[in-house]
Amino acid sequence: MQRASSASAFCYDCVSDPPQKPSRYHQHGASCRACRTKEANKTYNCENLGLSEIPDTLPNTTEFLEFSFNFLPTIHNGTFSRLMNLTFLDLTRCQINWIHEDTFQSHHQLNTLVLTGNPLIFMAETSLNGPKSLKHLFLIQTGISNLEFIPVHNLENLESLYLGSNHISSIKFPKDFPARNLKVLDFQNNAIHYLSREDMRSLEQATNLSLNFNGNDVKGIELGAFGSIVFQSLNFGGTLNLSVIFNGLQNSTTQSLWLGTFEDIDDEDISSAMLKGLCEMSVESLNLQKHHFSDFSSTTFQCFTQIQELDLTATHLAGLPSGIKGLNLLKKLVLSVNHFDQLCQISAANFPSLTHLYVRGNVKKLHLGVGCLEKLGNLQILDLSHNAIEASDCCNLQLRNLSHLQTLNLSHNELLGLQSQAFKECPRLELLDLAFTRLHINAPQSPFQNLHFLQVLNLTYCFLDTSNQHLLAGLPDLRHLNLKGNHFQDGTIMKTNLLQTVGSLEILILSSCGLLSIDQQAFHGLGKISHVDLSHNSLTCDSIASVSHFKGIYLNLAANSINIIPPHLLPILSQQSTINFSHNPLDCTCSNIHFLTWYKENLHKLEGSEETTCANPPSLRGVKLSDVKLSCGITAIGIFFLTVFLLLFTILLFFAVKNLLRWKYRHI
């Protein structure tokens, strides 16, 4: 069996326990498995091969090894001793019970060790000795119930420690636990219900720590327990009673506080009185997603004066009260998956400094209204996607006074009618996403013609009239254009087309446009192109000539109707950097021998080679092009008939010359 050049295999004996899938590889009649090579001599994947030891054929230079779902009940200082260059080792679910002394003593460069899902019974105190810069340790779902179980030797450089889904009830570390460099400490889904000052004392050396108690349902926090540490983030997601958190975090400082809940948790509603605890804390970002509010009013926000980011996703809101005071620092507001009828119900005037607003996936059909956001003069990013928005005349009235807007997402909505200069109120737009929103252009001129700074325009499946050659006029800086799913008249891109006005394009996506052909001059105005996606159309080899003037581009021709590529088109392909021919009905007969030869000589620039297979002849259907071997020379029978033909031709020529000379002699 031949293997693709992008991956190699090693064969070796496999253990019979645990049960294995039938092997795909055979050597001298013996069953064997293969580690996949991701980067030669450095990165290997040996996952789920039923191995009970490190294969001898794995090179000593291996640095990155994925070895999960194998069978290593005991590991010791000889298990990995040969692989001294390891920097990353994943041993997830290898049924490890015992980790002996000095197991990693030879692995001075080991940076990340993943022991997730192993039922650990014993870890020797010196088991982690050796690595000089062990920074990331994963002990998720290992059955740990006491932090004394973790060996503290040689953890001085540890930056992240993941202890989720265990049976830990106290976060009290040993006194000599080195927390100075710790940045991430994850205790999610344990049994931690109370946090004391003594518990937190061992973490006092840490700065900007991200501490995760998600899914623990903390029921009590000793006052002052969090007062002496500055946190990057605190996560108490799934806590039934948030009063406990607000009371316990008095005088604490954290950049981010995540207090969201989950749909299957029957927690208490949030009251305005409960949120007063924020007045005793320093918090910049607050997440309250999926909670219910018992008394939602302007007083609810009286302690939000220091908040810069607020996430109220799926909090069952039908509107925000007007007259909220003191939110001048709020920069980012997320109101997705709520129950607004109209955009004006968010009372945008409450948030004069807002730069980012997200109202995605509203439960009800959202009406844009008129001027609902006009008080947000500093708004830079606006996401209104997935809201079933419909507007016959969009979008100047709806987006009035948003002159600083840079990103606008109106994708996955209903019908939008666009007039000339439909985005005149947003002249600084750099990204406009209208994907999967049906557009009705109500003017012969471009609705985008005033967007001189626009760089990215997504018009995927917008049902556009692509025959309008002025559709994209007025976009001098456009670099990325996605026209996927928009059909062209008669399935053809003519020499004169809507792309001629966007000469600055670098990325052009025309996949799934029902294309049958492309004129050779169709792309001649696009001198800066580096990426062209023509996949999932019905193009033949004739359309390859349309990219003849491009050099060094990424060209995606996957899933078209290309079967034979004649020799005169091969120089065009040779001058590109990456090409994808996968899922085409390619001919693998001698009629296509020039392309097949070129293909094998240029495997380094071909993408999707595993899916680039023959469609003809039937005997080779499904075979990868790189594996095809054809003999297209003259056969023995052909040589015989050619010899006979040449012999007869010589005889006839001889008699013809002889007769000609005789005739001349008679007429002298």
Side-chain angles (χ1 to χ4, degrees), residues 108-143:
H108 303 304
Q109 301 175 55
L110 189 63
N111 177 280
T112 302
L113 177 61
V114 183
L115 295 169
T116 297
N118 288 289
L120 297 178
I121 296 174
F122 172 75
M123 288 184 73
E125 287 189 10
T126 61
S127 60
L128 298 179
N129 279 10
K132 296 180 179 179
S133 58
L134 185 63
K135 294 182 179 180
H136 311 289
L137 178 60
F138 292 77
L139 293 169
I140 301 167
Q141 215 171 22
T142 50

Side-chain angles (χ1 to χ4, degrees), residues 241-256:
N241 185 357
L242 290 186
S243 295
V244 171
I245 307 301
F246 288 122
N247 292 335
L249 294 183
Q250 288 186 31
N251 300 319
S252 64
T253 300
T254 179
Q255 182 173 328
S256 173

